[in-house]
Amino acid sequence: MSLMIKILFLAVSLSPALTLSTWGESLAWPLFGGIELLFDLNPISAFFLLLLALGAPLVALPMLRGAPDRPAYALYALLLLGMQLLLLAGDFIGFFVGWEIMTWSSYLLLLRSSRTDLEGAQSYILFNLASAFLLLAGILVFHSLTGDFRIQAIDQLGGPEPLALAVLFGLAFLIKVGTLPLHLWVPRAYDQAPDIFSAFLSALMSKMGVYGLILLATLFPEALSGLLGRLLNGPAAGYILAWIGVITSIVATFKAISQEDMKRLLAYSSIAQVGYITTAIGVGSSLAIGGALFQALVHTLVKLLLFITVAGIILQTGRRRFNDLGHLIDRMPISFLAVLIGIIGLAGMPPLPGFAAKYLIFVSLIDARWLLLLAAMLLSSTAAFIYCYKLIYAPFLGHANSPEAKTATEAPWPYLVPQVILMGLLVALGIFPGFGIQFLIDPVLTALGLAPIGAPSWGELATPYGGYDGVVLMTVFGTAFALVTGGFFLLRGRMRRAGSPYDLSYAGEVPTADTPLHYGAGMGRELRRIPLIGWILLHTTTGFLTGLTRQSLAAAGLLGGFYGRNPQTWILLAVLLFALALTLVTLTGGAL
Amino acid sequence: MHAIVDSLAMIGISYVMGFLFYGFYRQFNARVQRRWGPSLWQNFFDNMKFLLKTETLTHGPMFFLGPMIIAAGAITTVLFVPFLKDSDWLQGFSEHGNLILIIYLLVVGPLGNALAVGSSGNPFGVMGVTRGLTRLMGLEVPFFLGLALVMLQHETTSVHAIMAAQDGLAQWNLFTNPIAFIVILLPFIASQNASPFDVVGAPVEVYAGPRVEFGGRLLGLLMTQNMMMTVAKLVLVVDLFMGGAGNVPILILKAFSLFLLTASISLVFPRLKTEQTVDFFWKVPLGLGVLGVIATVWLPWGA
Amino acid sequence: MYHKSECEGFQCEQRMLEESLGQENAQTGLVDRLVGWLRQRSLFVLAYGTGCGAIEMRPLMTSRFDAERFGIIGAPTPRQADVLVISGYLALKTLKRVIRSYEQMQEPKYVIALGSCAINGGMYWDSYNTIKQLDHYLPVDMYINGCMPRPEALIEGFAALQKKIGRGEPSGFKRYRENIDWYKANQRRVLGENMPPDYTYDWYHAGGVA
């Protein structure tokens, strides 16, 4: 019986893949009053459906372990249904319905974790409801502009309505991707969700916000440039969005460095990585959108890999803090490799596809002549090395710091299979960035009316600014590595392994098991001495919001001061103001 | 066949240039301090001494692989930097790469090695790695911004194209884009791990550093790759700002004059702490870079 | 008056050890000499400031005497060092650390003992907590006597060590490895229970295979 349920569940998790491969023509479903629900698969939604199709079974596989958790299975199926509705919707009604189903089913799934506290659950549902209501308000504005719910470009520019539309939709989607200062729910939810489900939240659900942002740009003729004109070589509205994205990544990166818990670190890193996507969408050129999509793809793969691996570690050790782990490299070698590949992708180092995404975004920033943004983004992307290193050092290297870490064994196979698949995908995509561009990115760009980037061959990433060849790069590096390692091994002389983990050069002293040798959580603490970082880490977003509240209250108080107890005072003020206005009108000849 | 001979030649040239330059640096340093200093070959002897050690201690497989990764990274970097301009030789695989790729390749090796340092289990080593990553965070921002000014100027990321655009002395980016050069100069010194930004891998006196556990032949390999990497970075800056070189003697001459400049700067300043380094980079070179961006991009004559 | 013509007691033990060593490796091949020539040009010194002699190491390294011109330079950790300089008297407490550091150095490694205290105890000849003859606990390659020896003398000692290395002669670390039990017994005699852990040397018994 339970086996049947599990097989059924796995089949359900394959449904996005099935939808993607078998979807025929568009589907219309008449509703009341001439309005109809429209479902269609265009290249943009196909790209995000592909991410879903890829991720859903990989997350479902570890969920199969142990006794079947039927409510969770049902909610997961509902969640998949909602997300497919959202992606396939050709009008905003279907979109909104899908959005709501996604919000509620994920909320209920989140509640199933024993670690979820009231604060985490509340912030999750409040932020996501706010997002949904902003979306609803935006949809109404959209309807008033076009008289239709169909997702299409509006004709009218100018006037306050398009701006209101952009702000409402923008806020709704920025909450979903977790942009500062609207990210408060993200670290809590990712941290407290069931360990496997965090992978789904970070890798796939945040991408729905990205999908929304890309959709938002298509609502305006000339995309973002139509909104506020152009700045340097890019859209001015996008410039604001891009700075929002970059500031998000910088702050989230430093927050990630200072975390002491694996899942919270990954949550902040997720905010930072999606910040890059926001930036790239702000730039809005073909290279930038290409980069954003590529980054979305890579981030999906990487975060699935990392969250599933971390879930495996937590399952085997029961510990999630960096201080309590250590030296798992010998006991969990496959997990080590998975985290290694994951952080190389996260940091955007060359052989893996993270670099291709970063490269496209960097080049697009140079192309738009937004160099200050480039510098700021580079700051966050370099600082990311530190938390990447922390993520691999603290659990896997160093010294085991708890009894569980000393006896842990490799994660069970339902965790390992997705890891191996994802590692393979990442490496393959790293060697063949041109393949990703040609078959995954270019159709979307064409559908968006942008110039496709194109690829001369599967291995090559080519832009007008130059490119690189993944196959050559991997071959050169691999050959050099093989030759150096082989040569060194042959000529190694007497090489021996240290007789004890405490055989360390420790200034002549002999460290013992009681010596605090694991650097784990302390790593990055000294960064606070750098003024900028110290300032960022000293201030929390909650503090920022509290300050904002205080300022608003103060402003309201100031305004209230005008309404003194004595009515004569403010009548006098009103008269004076009226007189001043009249004088001005007279002086300027009535042309006010 | 051509590719293999070419690659070997590049690796050889970068190694020989590397130890001779370092030997010169130690001589120069000594003379400034009124000493005689070691011979020009001293770094070669040091390196050979380590490669000929009979005993090498490892702390597990990852500890062994780290130096291999960093050496492979150094070789790859060398092969992706074009050494000569308008020549079939000493090009390596630079046709298939670009400037941003090279900047990232410079970091691959050290990160690989950081894994080895971590797996040694020595907290002093990890402390050194964290310092290194912190310094990297400081220097990379102005360094990349300066190079981005050059990339913007030529509208390409290809080192070949940037090199080809600098025909004569007057077209050298050193003269057409001096702000960019000034912006990258100090971060460049830091990326060479030279004084005054050398607290990370402090050569002689600071116990905590990434190399604390490395000895024997592994340390020899680390020294070898360090020398090659130094030359690769020098050649890269020569390519970008000094118009590249048509043949090997000119390449050596240009790289040497650049090296002389950086060495002179690093000899006379006392060492900074890591956080002072980062703060300095974010204030002075980055501030200059921002001014450069405003001058060349924002102001009307720039566009 | 008692005149000593022959060694007695443990002194004979030491001479016997050295004699057997000298005969075994009397001849060195061309490769050995080439390797030795390369090695002698570069000596990294672990200047462990064990005693008052450490004060002489500073002028040796700085501008006045400039040991770097002979390729002699400091090393921060024992892993990178070739030469361990024992600068003067060794208290028992220090001895433990010195042994640990020496065993952590990578072969080939050399020991230079500096000052008369390391030879026979010097002015601490009757001290209860310093060792008298360093050679009983660590294999010394070169003694530099004096109290303290000036940097010129140190340079001469280093030069002599370099010559010895250049000839490719076997050095103290081999003696240490082959007679580890004897050295450990001596160390245990003075350190008692307070010995450094044995995982740094127990591979000597395995015949030195990795």
Side-chain angles (χ1 to χ4, degrees):
Chain A
M1 183 59 194
S2 72
L3 189 67
M4 284 298 293
I5 290 180
K6 283 180 180 177
I7 290 172
L8 196 67
F9 176 60
L10 206 58
V12 169
S13 77
L14 288 170
S15 68
L18 199 68
T19 316
L20 186 65
S21 55
T22 60
W23 188 268
E25 55 224 67
S26 63
L27 208 81
W29 190 10
L31 281 179
F32 50 87
I35 294 173
E36 52 185 18
L37 270 179
L38 202 67
F39 292 103
D40 197 4
L41 190 69
N42 58 12
I44 309 171
S45 53
F47 177 80
F48 286 92
L49 194 60
L50 176 75
L51 298 187
L52 187 63
L54 214 63
L58 294 180
V59 176
L61 201 57
M63 283 172 81
L64 292 179
R65 203 177 156 274
D69 183 3
R70 282 172 210 176
Y73 290 179
L75 287 169
Y76 190 72
L78 199 62
L79 179 60
L80 290 183
L81 173 76
M83 287 170 80
Q84 288 177 63
L85 269 184
L86 188 161
L87 287 173
L88 291 174
D91 58 66
F92 275 115
I93 297 181
F95 189 87
F96 184 72
V97 171
W99 192 271
E100 282 289 287
I101 297 179
M102 175 176 81
T103 302
W104 284 103
S105 52
S106 62
Y107 175 63
L108 294 175
L109 258 174
L110 178 74
L111 285 184
R112 297 191 56 74
S113 160
S114 55
R115 296 182 65 246
T116 308
D117 59 13
L118 187 64
E119 196 186 8
Q122 265 178 356
S123 64
Y124 183 84
I125 195 64
L126 284 178
F127 273 95
N128 279 292
L129 277 184
S131 160
F133 290 143
L134 285 166
L135 185 65
L136 190 60
I139 290 171
L140 294 178
V141 174
F142 181 80
H143 188 258
S144 73
L145 275 172
T146 59
D148 195 2
F149 285 113
R150 197 183 284 253
I151 298 176
Q152 58 188 2
I154 56 174
D155 342 307
Q156 161 201 359
L157 273 174
E161 284 92 355
L163 212 57
L165 184 68
V167 170
L168 287 171
F169 272 166
L171 279 178
F173 298 135
L174 286 180
I175 290 178
K176 200 72 197 171
V177 297
T179 311
L180 244 63
L182 307 171
H183 72 290
L184 279 179
W185 63 279
V186 176
R188 289 178 194 154
Y190 290 10
D191 177 27
Q192 296 175 354
D195 293 336
I196 286 297
F197 186 57
S198 293
F200 194 87
L201 275 175
S202 162
L204 297 170
M205 279 184 56
S206 67
K207 297 300 167 309
M208 295 304 120
V210 175
Y211 173 63
L213 283 176
I214 289 178
L215 214 57
L216 174 63
T218 65
L219 294 184
F220 304 102
E222 299 173 47
L224 291 173
S225 320
L227 217 51
L228 289 175
R230 290 176 76 74
L231 182 84
L232 297 176
N233 200 15
Y239 196 66
I240 302 169
L241 187 66
W243 268 114
I244 293 175
V246 157
I247 290 173
T248 303
S249 351
I250 292 177
V251 175
T253 302
F254 289 127
K255 287 272 184 202
I257 294 170
S258 66
Q259 294 309 312
E260 299 187 352
D261 178 303
M262 284 193 287
K263 282 179 75 183
R264 279 187 83 87
L265 186 144
L266 283 178
Y268 274 111
S269 120
S270 190
I271 297 173
Q273 298 284 322
V274 181
Y276 301 149
I277 305 181
T278 315
T279 309
I281 291 175
V283 181
S285 61
S286 143
L287 282 173
I289 298 289
L293 292 171
F294 214 109
Q295 173 75 13
L297 175 65
V298 174
H299 181 247
T300 304
L301 297 178
V302 164
K303 277 291 141 68
L304 280 174
L305 178 61
L306 286 176
F307 268 113
I308 292 177
T309 313
V310 163
I313 297 174
I314 295 175
L315 180 79
Q316 296 303 96
T317 61
R319 302 294 187 124
R320 56 182 68 232
R321 292 166 64 83
F322 290 118
N323 265 349
D324 302 335
L325 294 162
H327 204 69
L328 291 174
I329 178 170
D330 292 342
R331 293 183 198 86
M332 305 180 82
I334 299 178
S335 299
F336 169 74
L337 203 60
V339 172
L340 181 60
I341 300 273
I343 62 164
I344 295 176
L346 202 58
M349 300 306 290
L352 290 194
F355 176 71
K358 285 251 176 76
Y359 179 73
L360 286 174
I361 299 177
F362 286 158
V363 167
S364 75
L365 283 170
I366 294 175
D367 184 48
R369 309 176 81 86
W370 293 354
L371 291 192
L372 297 184
L373 264 167
L374 176 68
M377 186 163 162
L378 206 85
L379 166 61
S380 132
S381 116
T382 321
F385 293 154
I386 300 180
Y387 73 67
C388 286
Y389 184 60
K390 188 173 182 173
L391 190 63
I392 198 157
Y393 169 75
F396 291 104
L397 308 173
H399 293 261
N401 233 8
S402 69
E404 291 89 345
K406 281 179 185 135
T407 54
T409 51
E410 184 58 275
W413 68 266
Y415 286 74
L416 294 183
V417 170
Q419 288 174 27
V420 173
I421 294 174
L422 287 164
M423 281 192 267
L425 282 176
L426 275 170
V427 171
L429 200 59
I431 301 178
F432 302 111
F435 173 83
I437 294 287
Q438 200 175 343
F439 293 99
L440 305 176
I441 312 287
D442 272 353
V444 186
L445 292 180
T446 318
L448 285 170
L450 295 166
I453 297 172
S457 71
W458 281 15
E460 244 176 294
L461 179 73
T463 68
Y465 279 74
Y468 75 97
D469 194 323
V471 178
V472 173
L473 178 64
M474 206 67 161
T475 317
V476 171
F477 188 84
T479 315
F481 181 74
L483 287 180
V484 170
T485 313
F488 191 92
F489 199 72
L490 287 177
L491 301 171
R492 69 189 180 283
R494 189 195 306 110
M495 195 163 71
R496 63 181 182 87
R497 187 164 179 172
S500 153
Y502 300 114
D503 186 1
L504 304 173
S505 44
Y506 205 70
E509 285 299 320
V510 182
T512 60
D514 300 328
T515 320
L517 290 173
H518 197 62
Y519 201 48
M523 189 184 292
R525 198 172 284 165
E526 66 278 6
L527 286 184
R528 287 167 196 271
R529 291 203 291 263
I530 300 166
L532 173 72
I533 304 175
W535 185 85
I536 289 179
L537 291 182
L538 208 65
H539 294 79
T540 58
T541 313
T542 328
F544 169 76
L545 294 177
T546 319
L548 207 63
T549 318
R550 212 171 37 240
Q551 296 302 325
S552 323
L553 285 178
L558 205 66
L559 209 62
F562 286 116
Y563 299 91
R565 247 172 247 146
N566 190 353
Q568 282 171 355
T569 320
W570 54 266
I571 290 176
L572 181 69
L573 271 176
V575 170
L576 277 179
L577 205 65
F578 185 61
L580 193 69
L582 273 184
T583 323
L584 272 178
V585 170
T586 328
L587 281 180
T588 51
L592 196 70
Chain B
M1 191 58 209
H2 176 88
I4 294 171
V5 175
D6 200 30
S7 308
L8 289 178
M10 284 171 89
I11 293 168
I13 284 183
S14 60
Y15 180 64
V16 173
M17 272 171 80
F19 72 70
L20 288 179
F21 277 22
Y22 266 109
F24 168 79
Y25 177 80
R26 286 171 74 170
Q27 269 272 324
F28 188 45
N29 194 0
R31 297 305 161 91
V32 170
Q33 296 170 358
R34 300 197 175 190
R35 300 188 276 126
W36 284 109
S39 82
L40 211 56
W41 298 81
Q42 187 58 47
N43 263 57
F44 177 69
F45 293 138
D46 286 351
N47 194 6
M48 278 302 140
K49 188 262 315 260
F50 277 120
L51 288 176
L52 290 170
K53 281 254 181 191
T54 50
E55 180 196 350
T56 304
L57 180 112
T58 75
H59 288 271
M62 198 60 230
F63 188 81
F64 169 73
L65 288 178
M68 307 301 136
I69 297 176
I70 196 171
I75 291 174
T76 315
T77 315
V78 166
L79 294 183
F80 273 86
V81 177
F83 274 37
L84 294 184
K85 178 177 168 179
D86 306 328
S87 166
D88 281 346
W89 288 98
L90 298 187
Q91 299 300 309
F93 299 91
S94 54
E95 279 298 331
H96 303 286
N98 61 56
L99 183 51
I100 299 180
L101 180 76
I102 295 170
I103 297 172
Y104 268 82
L105 277 178
L106 294 176
V107 199
V108 170
L111 281 181
N113 199 41
L115 295 178
V117 176
S119 83
S120 78
N122 194 322
F124 296 124
V126 184
M127 210 178 280
V129 168
T130 317
R131 279 184 193 161
L133 293 177
T134 312
R135 181 184 64 180
L136 184 74
M137 180 175 80
L139 74 91
E140 200 85 326
V141 181
F143 191 57
F144 201 93
L145 186 61
L147 296 184
L149 282 169
V150 175
M151 291 189 253
L152 184 74
Q153 182 192 358
H154 296 281
E155 303 216 319
T156 179
T157 60
S158 155
V159 181
H160 284 279
I162 295 174
M163 207 160 35
Q166 310 171 52
D167 272 335
L169 196 64
Q171 274 86 45
W172 281 15
N173 285 338
L174 187 59
F175 302 116
T176 58
N177 204 345
I179 298 179
F181 183 72
I182 296 171
V183 169
I184 67 140
L185 186 60
L186 290 176
F188 175 67
I189 292 175
S191 82
Q192 298 277 39
N193 199 10
S195 164
F197 311 110
D198 59 345
V199 72
V200 173
V204 179
E205 59 277 36
V206 179
Y207 202 90
R211 289 184 177 180
V212 64
E213 271 303 311
F214 287 102
R217 295 185 185 185
L218 289 175
L219 184 62
L221 198 62
L222 288 181
M223 285 181 79
T224 310
Q225 69 81 22
N226 189 27
M227 294 187 231
M228 286 166 55
M229 201 70 121
T230 304
V231 172
K233 288 174 194 166
L234 278 171
V235 173
L236 180 66
V237 175
V238 167
D239 285 352
L240 293 178
F241 286 95
M242 299 164 80
N247 52 41
V248 178
I250 291 186
L251 176 77
I252 295 179
L253 190 71
K254 284 183 175 175
F256 183 73
S257 48
L258 182 67
F259 186 72
L260 202 60
L261 175 68
T262 57
S264 318
I265 294 174
S266 50
L267 280 186
V268 291
F269 288 104
R271 184 181 285 158
L272 295 176
K273 288 196 280 186
T274 320
E275 58 266 24
Q276 286 172 334
T277 308
V278 175
D279 202 36
F280 171 76
F281 279 133
W282 284 353
K283 278 178 185 153
V284 181
L286 186 61
L288 257 174
V290 171
L291 288 183
V293 171
I294 291 172
T296 53
V297 181
W298 287 79
L299 292 181
W301 63 77
Chain C
M1 201 73 176
Y2 171 66
H3 285 287
K4 175 168 73 92
S5 54
E6 271 295 312
C7 62
E8 42 186 52
F10 53 73
Q11 293 171 340
C12 297
E13 219 176 337
Q14 181 62 22
R15 206 187 62 180
M16 274 153 57
L17 287 171
E18 280 171 2
E19 273 171 359
S20 69
L21 251 168
Q23 281 162 3
E24 193 186 332
N25 292 306
Q27 290 181 331
T28 49
L30 185 66
V31 181
D32 282 344
R33 262 178 292 165
L34 180 70
V35 169
W37 184 78
L38 280 169
R39 272 180 192 155
Q40 55 129 346
R41 303 299 297 262
S42 156
L43 292 179
F44 280 31
V45 178
L46 183 68
Y48 197 120
T50 50
C52 45
I55 204 77
E56 299 294 341
M57 295 298 293
R58 275 67 191 151
L60 179 69
M61 294 294 177
T62 45
S63 292
R64 173 86 189 271
F65 294 100
D66 185 27
E68 198 187 357
R69 66 200 148 117
F70 302 108
I72 299 163
I73 195 170
T77 79
R79 300 281 187 219
Q80 293 147 28
D82 309 299
V83 182
L84 177 65
V85 174
I86 306 292
S87 42
Y89 69 87
L90 262 186
L92 294 182
K93 214 168 146 184
T94 330
L95 177 67
K96 185 184 160 191
R97 272 88 181 161
V98 165
I99 292 169
R100 169 94 173 168
S101 294
Y102 178 73
E103 283 170 359
Q104 282 185 331
M105 285 162 66
Q106 319 269 282
E107 293 172 358
K109 51 190 174 184
Y110 315 96
V111 177
I112 291 186
L114 188 160
S116 22
C117 301
I119 300 174
N120 59 7
M123 62 190 280
Y124 300 98
W125 62 277
D126 61 350
S127 165
Y128 65 96
N129 70 341
T130 57
I131 56 149
K132 308 302 175 296
Q133 257 181 298
L134 177 60
D135 213 10
H136 287 182
Y137 311 98
L138 286 178
V140 180
D141 289 282
M142 192 59 63
Y143 285 109
I144 305 167
N145 67 358
C147 183
M148 299 309 302
R150 281 186 52 78
E152 293 95 323
L154 280 175
I155 288 178
E156 202 174 330
F158 271 108
L161 178 67
Q162 282 178 329
K163 270 198 201 111
K164 202 175 154 190
I165 299 168
R167 285 197 300 268
E169 282 178 19
S171 73
F173 68 92
K174 284 198 178 133
R175 208 157 71 227
Y176 190 70
R177 190 134 56 98
E178 281 159 17
N179 303 299
I180 184 69
D181 293 333
W182 184 76
Y183 280 109
K184 282 293 157 189
N186 286 346
Q187 290 167 9
R188 199 163 289 119
R189 201 174 304 145
V190 291
L191 292 175
E193 287 304 296
N194 205 9
M195 285 286 284
D198 54 4
Y199 49 72
T200 43
Y201 66 87
D202 57 2
W203 59 278
Y204 293 167
H205 297 294
V209 279

